[in-house]
Amino acid sequence: LLIAFLGGLILNLMPCVLPVLSIKLLSVINHGGSDSKTVRLSFLASAAGIIVSFLIIAGALAVLKSTGAAIGWGIQFQQPWFLIIMAVIITVFACNLMGWFEFRLSSRMSDAALKGSAGNGLGGHFATGMLATLLATPCSAPFLGTAVGFALSRGTLEIMVIFSVLGLGLSAPYLLVALAPRLASSLPKPGAWMITLRRILGIALGGTAIWLLSVLTVQIGWFATSLSAAFILAIAIVLYIGHRYTDLPRKASASTVLILSFLALMSPFLTPYVAGTEAIASNKPIDQLWKPFDPAIIDQHVRDGRVVFVDVTADWCITCQVNKTFVLASDTIYDKLSAPGVVAMQADWTLPDDGISQYLASFQRYGIPFNAIYGPGAPQGLPLPELLSQDAVMKALEQAQG
């Protein structure tokens, strides 16, 4: 439980959470000058959204496990429909930050929640917490991989409890502000400067939507992705037109947005496509280095005295890209991996792959990034930490060489 809490807390600092930095930042600065009660309730609502999201994920994983399906942390990013839904939601949030429309609660909900605009009601903060969780799950973090591995290798009760504590860890900063509301209310009051900041953060969220669509390209191809992107862009245009021409019926705009969202979700089914046929060529030396992942021949390489470096990655794993850019592609590590007697294998988990799922499970891991090094000195494999460092990789390589 302690490891799970630490894993959720550290997840706040991982690169995977950068896309939701805009939402987190606004959730703090929007409360400048607010009274303590308003701040406390709004941050409690965000924390509740995070914890509820973790419970939903845990329940879904428990059901999948009971059916014998392959499960893992962040596997929803392997599904095109999830990426499209998230791209639509992110686009809507970005349009909201640009000031093109406001979230409005029903009269019944408004009576029970704080009234406000631009997502300042309790419902808006709850939804923000849920969105933050969904976008924070594509990568693992120190301690988190251990906690998730423990939970998913056991029963439903352990899964639900561990994921609840993970949610508490991720929501800890929100709960801290709820306990000490002055941390937020002492900030400068929202004013004209907020409009410029909101637009900048809205552009940042738009970049997140583009990133999601780039991952979608690998799964459903350029044509279907372009079709989805066109419908999502049309959503932004409809919201902008509704903002410029206030005499247009709100219900008409909302209905159009719903129809366009449905069409974007149906795009993968409008054109036949074989997943994995559109590999993107790369001229980077590190990308030319990798051999196809084949766990069956690792033992033979080790018996022949070679060292095998395994990298399990995915296009949707931001931490994986950080590891590759700043550690694996560095001159020191690249020279080691390309040296004679060293075999570098890469397993791409962008799409569902039972073989990769089983390989991860053999190390009690259910999320990525994951790296392991084999050799005469480590025939069973040495798992590396989620966040790589040059020192950690060099020491593991030396130990594996024996």
Side-chain angles (χ1 to χ4, degrees), residues 114-140:
L114 293 175
K115 293 183 179 180
S117 62
N120 287 332
L122 289 184
H125 288 290
F126 184 87
T128 296
M130 296 192 72
L131 182 62
T133 302
L134 292 176
L135 286 179
T137 55
C139 299
S140 186

Side-chain angles (χ1 to χ4, degrees), residues 75-97:
I75 58 173
Q76 68 271 22
F77 278 80
Q78 298 174 340
Q79 305 301 326
W81 59 267
F82 175 82
L83 293 173
I84 295 173
I85 290 174
M86 293 306 300
V88 170
I89 293 175
I90 287 294
T91 300
V92 170
F93 264 82
C95 293
N96 170 246
L97 293 180

